[in-house]
């Protein structure tokens, strides 16, 4: 039996839903996989160390790993209306407060190489005079409790938090996705699937086909992945799981397309111009494997 490829992705419903068929051997032509489930901040670090053949990482981390990894044209997370939110306690940042309230405040973020934090930095540079205060990195599921309990002044949240933050008595101060879409007209690039360049063109092509086929299998057989999704959903309510999948697994997951690639180039270009990430060389995002 051929040696299985290693993959690391998050426990979030969009990833377990999209990759269920592939990781469970339901795609006869797909390469075998050995799976590691880990928080996105962990997978970002693994990519920088060359720690797996395939990984789900933040688009903000992509410029740091392109020498060793190539962006797959499928499997990731982009979309509309799905951006990170800046949350405060209602009594601290009541309705009507502007972004200037964040000046000098202590803000929790889900990782310094997260796309959420990159979008936040691009926004805060013009929206928060004087800049925010201390940045605290927390796993994303710990951010809302930390804001609620007053451990931080504000939190930058991702994933299903956009459906549940009211349960913590929190107030939405700003939506990074709305800011991005209003300024660019493009979808919000959040998470990317990357594969080791050393796999070679033929195997990279097989990997890309498998990722896209896995997404399409999940759409065609939505109940097949339910036990696996629930196993890793961190006690998430079923309705929230469905909302999460519906928002983050979309046409861009099956195929980035021209619009998706343009959004990625726009994000990384703007960030590089501000000195926030290394510049991406022309052609670095091109996928070498024929699909």
């Amino acid at each position: 039996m051929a040696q299985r490829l290693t993959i690391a992705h998050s426990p979030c419903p969009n990833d377990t839903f999209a990759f269920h068929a592939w990781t469970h051997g339901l795609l006869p032509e797909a390469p075998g996989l050995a799976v590691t489930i880990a928080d996105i901040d962990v997978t970002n670090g693994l990519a920088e160390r060359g720690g797996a053949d395939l990984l789900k990482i933040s688009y903000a981390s992509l410029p740091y790993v392109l020498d060793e990894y190539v962006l797959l044209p499928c499997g990731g997370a982009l979309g509309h209306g799905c951006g990170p939110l800046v949350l405060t306690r209602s009594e601290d940042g009541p309705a009507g407060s502007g972004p200037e309230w964040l000046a000098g405040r202590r803000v929790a973020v889900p990782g310094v190489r997260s796309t959420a934090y990159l979008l936040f930095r691009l926004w805060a540079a013009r929206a928060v005079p004087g800049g925010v205060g201390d940045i605290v990195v927390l796993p994303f599921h710990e951010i809302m409790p930390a804001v609620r309990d007053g451990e931080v002044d504000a939190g930058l949240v991702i994933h299903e938090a956009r459906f549940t933050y009211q349960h913590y008595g929190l107030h939405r101060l700003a939506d990074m996705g709305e800011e991005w879409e209003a300024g660019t007209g493009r979808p919000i690039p959040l998470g990317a699937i990357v594969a080791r360049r050393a796999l070679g063109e033929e195997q990279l092509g097989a990997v890309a086909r498998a990722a896209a086929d896995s997404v399409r299998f999940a759409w065609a057989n939505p109940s097949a992945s339910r036990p696996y999704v629930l196993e890793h959903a961190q006690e998430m309510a079923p309705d929230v799981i469905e909302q999460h999948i519906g928002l983050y697994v979309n046409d861009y997951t099956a195929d980035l397309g021209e619009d998706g690639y343009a959004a990625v180039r726009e994000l990384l270009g703007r960030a590089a111009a501000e000195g926030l990430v290394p510049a991406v060389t022309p052609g670095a995002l091109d996928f070498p494997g024929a699909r």
Side-chain angles (χ1 to χ4, degrees), residues 70-85:
V70 62
L71 172 65
L72 259 64
C74 47
L78 290 85
H80 296 280
C82 59
L85 306 178

Side-chain angles (χ1 to χ4, degrees), residues 86-108 120 123-124 126-134 146-148 150-156 169-174:
V86 180
L87 304 179
T88 68
R89 292 187 299 179
S90 295
E91 60 268 31
D92 291 337
S97 293
E100 65 277 0
W101 183 88
L102 289 172
R105 304 284 183 176
R106 184 175 169 88
V107 181
F120 177 79
W123 169 78
R126 59 177 175 76
V128 184
V132 301
D134 292 338
V147 178
R148 177 197 61 199
E151 297 171 10
V152 293
D153 299 307
L156 181 66
L170 302 181
H171 162 68
R172 186 182 72 174
L173 187 69

Side-chain angles (χ1 to χ4, degrees), residues 13-20 22 56 59 71-80 82 187-193 207-219 244-257 259-261 291:
N14 60 306
D15 286 345
T16 52
F17 176 80
F19 287 100
H20 166 262
W22 189 4
K56 171 73 171 289
Y59 271 109
L71 172 65
L72 259 64
C74 47
L78 290 85
H80 296 280
C82 59
I188 309 149
L190 297 170
I193 302 297
V207 162
R209 288 190 295 273
D213 288 348
S214 190
V215 173
R216 296 188 179 103
F217 183 100
W219 282 334
H244 183 117
I245 292 171
L247 187 60
Y248 294 105
V249 184
N250 52 44
D251 289 344
Y252 296 110
T253 314
D255 188 345
L256 271 174
D259 196 27
Y261 274 107
R291 295 180 57 194

Side-chain angles (χ1 to χ4, degrees), residues 52-248:
D53 296 315
L54 297 100
L55 300 106
K56 171 73 171 289
I57 67 170
S58 302
Y59 271 109
S61 289
L62 188 59
Y64 299 93
V65 302
L66 281 171
D67 284 346
E68 185 162 353
Y69 289 95
V70 62
L71 172 65
L72 259 64
C74 47
L78 290 85
H80 296 280
C82 59
L85 306 178
V86 180
L87 304 179
T88 68
R89 292 187 299 179
S90 295
E91 60 268 31
D92 291 337
S97 293
E100 65 277 0
W101 183 88
L102 289 172
R105 304 284 183 176
R106 184 175 169 88
V107 181
V109 304
V112 293
R113 292 278 172 85
S114 66
T115 311
Y117 185 45
L118 183 59
L119 289 166
F120 177 79
R121 293 173 77 189
L122 288 169
W123 169 78
R126 59 177 175 76
V128 184
V132 301
D134 292 338
I135 296 296
V136 180
V137 176
L138 293 175
F140 78 90
H141 61 277
E142 295 181 11
I143 292 178
M144 289 191 293
V147 178
R148 177 197 61 199
D149 297 340
E151 297 171 10
V152 293
D153 299 307
L156 181 66
V157 299
I158 54 178
H159 302 320
E160 68 280 355
R162 75 167 32 248
F163 310 121
T164 61
Y165 69 86
Q166 298 95 332
H167 301 163
Y168 290 80
L170 302 181
H171 162 68
R172 186 182 72 174
L173 187 69
D175 185 325
M176 300 296 93
E178 288 181 359
E179 298 289 336
W180 170 260
E181 292 190 71
T184 68
R186 300 196 184 281
I188 309 149
L190 297 170
I193 302 297
V194 296
R196 202 186 301 277
R197 291 184 184 273
L199 292 176
E201 186 169 314
E202 182 177 353
Q203 194 161 28
L204 285 171
V207 162
R209 288 190 295 273
D213 288 348
S214 190
V215 173
R216 296 188 179 103
F217 183 100
W219 282 334
N221 305 274
S223 62
S225 62
R226 183 170 298 276
Y228 185 59
V229 171
L230 289 171
E231 177 186 350
H232 295 286
Q234 300 177 341
E235 302 180 359
M236 205 181 301
D239 62 325
V240 174
I241 291 173
E242 294 304 317
Q243 288 176 289
H244 183 117
I245 292 171
L247 187 60
Y248 294 105

